[in-house]
């Protein structure tokens, strides 16, 4: 009995010593963390070291959709999408002028390096045909232009009178400044024009206009003694030979903002206000329709008009323009 008490006392002392030892060890050093359940993560480099790597090769972040959107924004910034970034080309087509017009447009695309905006004015029966034909062109060409097709409309006067003024729908060109209100400048051409050089060659002439010039047209003839207007005209006309309306480089913004002198009222009139009264006054004296009206307008307003014998890039009118252009050819197979 006594021996058992001694053994119990010895064990109690031994346990007390062990407890004191453990308490002393825990106070000297923090306890170790429990063992990790998975492999320890790689040590992270200090922020100062990681920043240069981020600038050279940024980590992949975000979805594929965000990357695609960023690429799309960059592409959109490079590609001209605004109307004002195009070279604008206008044409009026009625009757049997579909194929002739398409050939003209093809020649413009073939030679030009900049993006084009086509403004096609056509009667009701031709508009679906234009849409169909333009969509059939190869993508290598359709990506070089955008097109807008308009109905034949006349904002003032009698539409039937305007439509029959000369050839079908020819008078539509007189209303381009009124209809194309969002277009600053454009090149108008007849359907029987064929481009043999880039439109850029004539488009750059807009930068050469002075502060009052608003249009560039070629003379109807170069020799007054044998020209049409100098021999037969019964109305006022521009210069000594008159001007031809088959090719016109126009600053539409200036035309819309100008008050034109005229033979109708002592005060100036806007372009739209002037057209129908001018036609009513001279309709029994004009032969070439809208071209005669343009000659009358620029007769009374010679200052804001630029006339050139040879308009680079305007190539070529067969009728009434042989002296100042390259002869028109009609290669029906071009780009077909």
């Amino acid at each position: 009995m006594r021996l058992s008490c001694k053994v119990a006392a010895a064990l109690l002392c031994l346990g007390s010593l062990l407890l004191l030892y453990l308490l002393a060890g825990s106070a000297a050093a923090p306890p170790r963390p429990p063992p990790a359940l998975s492999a320890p993560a790689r040590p992270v480099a200090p922020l100062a070291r990681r920043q240069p790597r981020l600038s050279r090769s940024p980590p992949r972040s975000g979805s594929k959709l965000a990357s695609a959107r960023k690429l799309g924004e960059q592409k959109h910034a490079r590609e001209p999408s605004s109307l004002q970034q195009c070279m604008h080309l206008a044409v009026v087509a009625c009757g049997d002028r579909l194929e002739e017009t398409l050939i003209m447009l093809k020649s413009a695309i073939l030679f030009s390096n900049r993006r084009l905006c086509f403004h096609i004015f056509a009667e009701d029966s031709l508009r679906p045909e234009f849409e169909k034909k333009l969509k059939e062109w190869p993508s290598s060409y359709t990506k070089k232009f955008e097109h807008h097709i308009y109905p034949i409309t006349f904002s003032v006067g009698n539409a039937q009178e305007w439509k029959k003024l000369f050839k079908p729908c020819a008078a539509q060109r007189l209303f381009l400044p009124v209809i194309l209100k969002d277009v600053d400048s454009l090149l108008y051409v007849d359907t029987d024009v064929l481009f043999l050089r880039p439109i850029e060659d004539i488009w750059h002439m807009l930068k050469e206009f002075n502060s009052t010039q608003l249009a560039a047209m070629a003379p109807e003839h170069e020799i007054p003694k044998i020209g049409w207007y100098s021999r037969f005209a019964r109305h006022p006309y521009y210069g000594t030979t008159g001007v031809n309306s088959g090719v016109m480089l126009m600053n539409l913004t200036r035309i819309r903002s100008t008050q034109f002198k005229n033979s109708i009222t002592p005060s100036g009139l806007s372009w739209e206000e002037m057209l129908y009264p001018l036609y009513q006054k001279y309709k029994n004296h004009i032969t070439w329709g809208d071209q005669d009206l343009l000659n009358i307008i620029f007769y009374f307003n010679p200052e804001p008009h630029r006339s050139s014998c040879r308009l680079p890039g305007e190539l070529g009118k067969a009728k009434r323009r042989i002296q100042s252009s390259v002869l028109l050819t009609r290669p029906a197979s071009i780009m077909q």
Side-chain angles (χ1 to χ4, degrees):
M1 182 68 179
R2 186 177 295 174
L3 181 61
S4 299
C5 291
K6 290 180 178 180
V7 172
L11 291 175
L12 181 61
C13 290
L14 184 60
S16 299
L17 291 173
L18 180 61
L19 180 62
L20 289 172
Y21 176 79
L22 291 176
L23 289 174
S26 63
R32 292 184 179 180
L37 297 178
S38 59
R42 291 184 181 181
V44 179
L47 183 62
R49 288 187 177 182
R50 286 195 299 159
Q51 279 181 331
R53 295 187 63 185
L54 283 173
S55 63
R56 291 194 303 268
S57 179
R60 295 180 181 178
S61 61
S63 63
K64 293 183 179 180
L65 181 61
S67 301
R69 185 183 295 114
K70 184 175 180 181
L71 291 174
E73 290 172 355
Q74 293 174 351
K75 184 178 180 181
H76 179 75
R78 292 194 301 267
E79 292 183 353
S81 59
S82 169
L83 280 177
Q84 300 305 332
Q85 294 173 315
C86 294
M87 293 188 298
H88 297 269
L89 180 66
V91 64
V92 179
C94 288
D96 59 352
R97 300 289 182 166
L98 175 66
E99 291 300 327
E100 188 174 72
T101 305
L102 290 172
I103 291 174
M104 182 275 293
L105 297 176
K106 289 174 182 179
S107 70
I109 296 171
L110 187 63
F111 287 98
S112 294
N113 299 312
R114 286 180 53 188
R115 187 170 179 80
L116 298 170
C117 284
F118 295 147
H119 301 274
I120 304 168
F121 292 81
E123 56 188 349
D124 296 343
S125 60
L126 291 183
R127 292 205 304 275
E129 290 297 317
F130 272 112
E131 287 286 2
K132 177 183 176 182
K133 294 291 185 179
L134 292 173
K135 289 179 180 178
E136 292 175 354
W137 288 3
S139 59
S140 58
Y141 292 100
T142 56
K143 69 182 181 182
K144 296 176 64 176
F145 73 92
E146 60 184 81
H147 70 278
H148 310 272
I149 301 178
Y150 309 84
I152 301 298
T153 55
F154 304 100
S155 60
V156 295
N158 186 300
Q160 291 304 315
E161 281 186 291
W162 284 121
K163 193 169 183 179
K164 298 176 181 178
L165 180 59
F166 181 51
K167 291 189 176 180
C169 309
Q172 182 70 79
R173 77 189 80 183
L174 296 174
F175 294 85
L176 296 179
V178 180
I179 299 172
L180 302 177
K181 294 183 182 297
D182 295 329
V183 177
D184 176 68
S185 300
L186 65 77
L187 175 66
Y188 167 84
V189 296
D190 280 348
T191 59
D192 58 354
V193 167
L194 186 69
F195 288 93
L196 302 180
R197 292 168 60 183
I199 293 182
E200 292 91 312
D201 289 353
I202 188 172
W203 192 258
H204 83 276
M205 291 180 63
L206 290 166
K207 296 181 179 179
E208 300 175 10
F209 281 19
N210 63 27
S211 59
T212 62
Q213 291 172 337
L214 51 77
M217 302 166 67
E220 174 63 24
H221 209 285
E222 291 185 354
I223 305 174
K225 290 191 296 184
I226 59 176
W228 164 266
Y229 286 109
S230 55
R231 290 188 296 162
F232 305 114
R234 296 181 294 159
H235 58 77
Y237 57 90
Y238 178 84
T240 58
T241 61
V243 289
N244 186 276
S245 64
V247 175
M248 298 186 292
L249 184 64
M250 298 184 287
N251 186 315
L252 301 185
T253 300
R254 291 184 182 178
I255 291 176
R256 286 188 289 263
S257 62
T258 299
Q259 292 292 306
F260 291 88
K261 301 173 185 176
N262 59 87
S263 60
I264 303 165
T265 65
S267 60
L269 293 174
S270 70
W271 185 268
E272 188 177 18
E273 292 171 336
M274 178 177 52
L275 288 178
Y276 195 63
L278 206 64
Y279 165 67
Q280 288 295 317
K281 180 173 181 177
Y282 292 102
K283 65 180 180 180
N284 295 324
H285 303 283
I286 59 179
T287 302
W288 303 111
D290 55 285
Q291 177 173 292
D292 292 346
L293 290 179
L294 289 167
N295 270 279
I296 295 168
I297 292 172
F298 289 122
Y299 169 83
F300 291 104
N301 301 268
E303 299 88 3
H305 177 73
R306 175 190 178 99
S307 179
S308 172
C309 289
R310 296 182 182 179
L311 296 180
E314 173 273 309
L315 304 166
K317 291 287 292 180
K319 51 181 184 288
R320 310 194 314 272
R321 307 216 58 235
I322 296 176
Q323 296 81 4
S324 58
S325 64
V326 174
L327 271 176
L328 171 70
T329 58
R330 291 184 178 148
S333 61
I334 184 172
M335 283 178 53
Q336 288 185 353

